[in-house]
Amino acid sequence: MKKIEKRYFAACDCPITAAMDIIGGKWKHIIIWILMDEPKRFGELHKTIPGIALKVLSRQLKELEADGIIIREAFPQVPPKVVYSLSEKGRSLNDVMQSLASWSRANIMEPVIN
Amino acid sequence: MKKIEKRYFAACDCPITAAMDIIGGKWKHIIIWILMDEPKRFGELHKTIPGIALKVLSRQLKELEADGIIIREAFPQVPPKVVYSLSEKGRSLNDVMQSLASWSRANIMEPVIN
DNA sequence: CAGGATCCTAAACGATACTG
DNA sequence: CAGTATCGTTTAGGATCCTG
């Protein structure tokens, strides 16, 4: 599916591209980071991530689900309730995320709070 | 400079964005990965990374230099010679890169060789 | 509440030609 | 050799409205 077309660099011996392909982009890593804490509903994610458009959040979630990183669980009730959580594979990204976080904290100056 | 405009998520408590901002994109992590091995000239990088356009490689290198990740050393001779290498800060990304690489190797199926 | 549909913008990416 | 200039393409990201 999607991933196949997007994986350009298997030719070079850079084994990082696969991971970057999954956590790359403007929001994916943030979503994963948040879900690493605990499962969340769609609306919660939307509120937790300031600035993300509904459609974008929706699509990112779908892509992460397609990549086997997160699990979407829909409860058939009115109003609807959908809970997103990390899969086993998603949770295996923890080391990567911690590594990224610790480098960020060590190397980045003051964040822009506003 | 550039980084400031591009850092959107300091508001959320996701400390990963800073690192993703630097190694994100389609090529940055590949360039860093290659330079992690040894310094390379512009043309070598171009040959080592199949598919990257000259203009794109050039701009990525400039951005990485601006972020303090790589060092550009130009030798004033004809024909010109320019060598790119990782700075101390760039080399400090090694843990992150190894972490990404090991996750990728563990989780990704067959790369598309062609 | 969770999101799909539609339309739009900005920016990333790319191919080719050219220059100091 | 190491790029820059120019132009074109692609796609991620976004605003708004609508629906089961």
Side-chain angles (χ1 to χ4, degrees):
Chain A
M1 55 172 337
K2 164 184 158 292
K3 293 293 89 179
I4 305 307
E5 312 135 22
K6 288 195 64 190
R7 192 154 292 125
Y8 327 78
F9 298 109
C12 91
D13 63 353
C14 171
I16 293 186
T17 301
M20 289 302 296
D21 204 27
I22 285 180
I23 67 171
K26 188 170 168 182
W27 308 98
K28 298 264 186 76
H29 63 279
I30 301 180
I31 296 172
I32 296 173
W33 179 259
I34 291 171
L35 291 182
M36 202 67 83
D37 184 31
E38 61 180 357
K40 285 213 187 301
R41 299 178 59 170
F42 185 85
E44 289 180 295
L45 280 170
H46 188 224
K47 257 168 292 182
T48 309
I49 308 175
I52 192 171
L54 282 179
K55 178 192 137 190
V56 174
L57 174 57
S58 169
R59 211 194 42 228
Q60 308 285 291
L61 288 170
K62 242 179 261 177
E63 291 181 5
L64 285 171
E65 188 190 2
D67 283 331
I69 303 297
I70 66 176
I71 293 169
R72 190 194 112 114
E73 197 178 0
F75 298 85
Q77 60 189 40
V78 180
K81 172 179 173 180
V82 177
V83 173
Y84 293 91
S85 58
L86 288 180
S87 67
E88 194 56 44
K89 183 174 176 186
R91 254 174 277 122
S92 77
L93 275 166
N94 191 49
D95 282 1
V96 174
M97 303 303 273
Q98 294 304 329
S99 176
L100 282 164
S102 108
W103 188 88
S104 293
R105 280 190 276 253
N107 287 277
I108 303 302
M109 36 310 169
E110 288 310 289
V112 182
I113 312 279
N114 46 8
Chain B
M1 57 174 335
K2 163 182 160 290
K3 294 290 92 182
I4 304 306
E5 313 135 22
K6 289 194 63 190
R7 192 154 292 127
Y8 327 76
F9 300 109
C12 92
D13 63 353
C14 172
I16 293 186
T17 301
M20 288 302 295
D21 202 28
I22 285 180
I23 68 172
K26 188 171 170 182
W27 308 99
K28 298 262 187 80
H29 63 279
I30 301 179
I31 295 172
I32 296 172
W33 179 260
I34 292 172
L35 292 182
M36 203 67 84
D37 185 31
E38 61 180 357
K40 284 215 187 301
R41 299 178 59 168
F42 184 86
E44 289 181 297
L45 281 170
H46 189 224
K47 256 168 291 182
T48 309
I49 307 175
I52 193 170
L54 281 180
K55 177 190 136 188
V56 175
L57 174 57
S58 169
R59 211 195 42 230
Q60 308 285 292
L61 288 171
K62 245 180 259 179
E63 291 180 7
L64 285 171
E65 190 191 0
D67 283 332
I69 302 297
I70 66 176
I71 294 169
R72 191 194 112 113
E73 199 177 0
F75 298 84
Q77 59 189 42
V78 181
K81 173 180 175 180
V82 178
V83 173
Y84 292 91
S85 58
L86 288 180
S87 66
E88 194 55 45
K89 183 175 176 183
R91 255 175 277 122
S92 77
L93 276 166
N94 191 50
D95 283 0
V96 173
M97 303 303 272
Q98 293 305 330
S99 177
L100 282 163
S102 111
W103 188 89
S104 292
R105 278 191 277 251
N107 286 277
I108 303 302
M109 37 307 168
E110 288 312 290
V112 183
I113 311 280
N114 47 7

